[in-house]
Amino acid sequence: MQRRTFIKGIAATSLMGITATDIEAKPPRKREHNSTTLSGKEFFLDIDYTTVNITGKKAVATTINGQIPGPTLVWQEGDTITLHVTNHLKKSSSIHWHGIILPAPMDGVPGISYKGIAPGETFTYRFKVQQHGTYWYHSHSGYQEQTGMYGAIVIKPKKKEPFRYDKDYVVLLSDWSDEKPTSIYRKLKLSSDYYNFNQRTVGDFFSEVKKKGFGQAFDDRKMWNKMRMSDRDLSDVTGYTYTYLMNGNAPATQFKALFKKGEKIRLRFINGAAMSFFDVRIPGLKMTVVAADGNHIKPVSVDEFRIGVAETYDVIVQPTSARAYAIFAQSIERSGYALGSLTPSASLSAKAPKMDKPQALTMADMGMDMKKMGKQKMGGMKMGNKMKYRWSAMEAQKYPVTKLPMATGVQSTMKAMAPKYRLEDPGVGLRKNGRRVLTYADLKNRYSTRRDRKPDREIILHLTGNMERYMWSINGIKYADAQPLRFHYGERLRITFINDTMMNHPMHLHGMWSDLETGDDNHLVRKHTVIVQPGAKISYRVTVDAKGGWAYHCHLLYHMAGMFRKVVVA
Ligand SMILES: [Cu+2]
């Protein structure tokens, strides 16, 4: 088969406006389509099929108000908002408001919050907005998210924010394929490395032998073979089929954010992709990260950050010269990128920097004990004594553990032998790259959490899978065979994840915050989606304050069938 070029051009289409305006309040209009920003208290959203041309070929998308992404919804904290969502598809549909705190029947997950929206029907959502920041929405039905059903949510705060900026842009990253999602999934089931072209070659093996000696190179290989994994398998679906988009624009058409020299620009990054992690940087500019998953954090100045599927980061940048800067988001396995420009003029666009080389997974990513592995070291990780101490303090925290059912067998063929907290690890591909990369260890709540309750109990969830058969599960049990997780209303729960697989899984708990433990209990950062690194361990605390049924799952679309739980809060 002929491999297509990774970065596909786009035949100019009228799908999106080329230059974005920053977010400003516009009065809501009834059934206004192709408007990129809607604000107010009442919204009308129409789900329908739309023919698009993103790769130079026509394809049918599922869209919200006829556009990809759907309109940016601007809400005001404290308002009660109403959203009328009409489904014009021939199939059931839904919209879920990702990271939004709301009553369970408004959460938009078919089979858990409600029945879904039947063809021809309108469902009206109504809830009070109790938070502010950058969020997003997407379909929770079938593979509709992959085919275009996602958009940004910007919630204006009641109180003034603790930083200032002159302009404000949403930067929504996503992945598009002309292939039908059912066909992508079928191919993954047939061969989980179908889209993966970074596999090792015989030549690689001999260069390793030169470097490490035959014994070590052979042992490394044997290990990977035993795990039935490839150390180059960083993404299941790649640029072989994907075109990476920034606010709906392929690299060739470029999203453009305008600035005047010296202005402070707030960029609201949202990863609305189905399967792709992105490593984001703006060469020539430092980015000050001010919010994670909508919540203020203590500002951190970085060159680069990784954004997992469903996460959001707000950054502030200040361009010092009147030139076009690239907003560059390369996919984690380096098969392509999304690209836009931060530019003083709509006629100036930036050139993409060279993509980094793909890195291989290490023994640490397999959850092996590195001390036992001898000389193998985790690249690029600064394990200062202070940090080590903090992690051991986290390890030492003990709460009564509620045992959950576990299964071994076909659903679970991998195991992390010595999973470790790796919050200071930027992750495979970003280690030792010479840039200051954001890690979870950098995330600190802007406000004190000193008075937050300590956990009453703990549950441990293993992320499990069978890579050969492309099966994903939790504790070795797939969703269809699992009992709901029972959380007690009013409790404070510690959830520890152990990733027994060699992939990153962005875990998303609906309805309640995930207060990530980063070694500083006084500033637990609030997230809605937490990346669990390959072979690693991570934990967070949840105040169980929302009654009803909630979804809890990996946000990689093709993992969701198995790596999913219903949570019941009573
Ligand atoms: Cu997953």
Side-chain angles (χ1 to χ4, degrees), residues 1-2 12 15 117 129 179 183 193 214 256 335 366 376 451 468 481 508 515 521 557 561 565:
M1 193 195 320
Q2 190 73 40
L15 183 62
I117 311 171
V129 180
E179 272 190 272
S183 142
D193 60 359
F214 185 80
K256 289 195 184 92
S335 66
M366 282 171 67
Q376 286 254 359
R451 283 163 208 271
E468 234 182 6
D481 300 334
H508 172 43
D515 298 337
D521 276 10
L557 192 61
R565 282 294 184 273

Side-chain angles (χ1 to χ4, degrees), residues 531-548:
I531 300 174
V532 189
Q533 290 190 332
K537 174 178 174 177
I538 201 164
S539 48
Y540 54 74
R541 301 173 189 177
V542 178
T543 296
V544 181
D545 56 2
K547 283 184 181 162

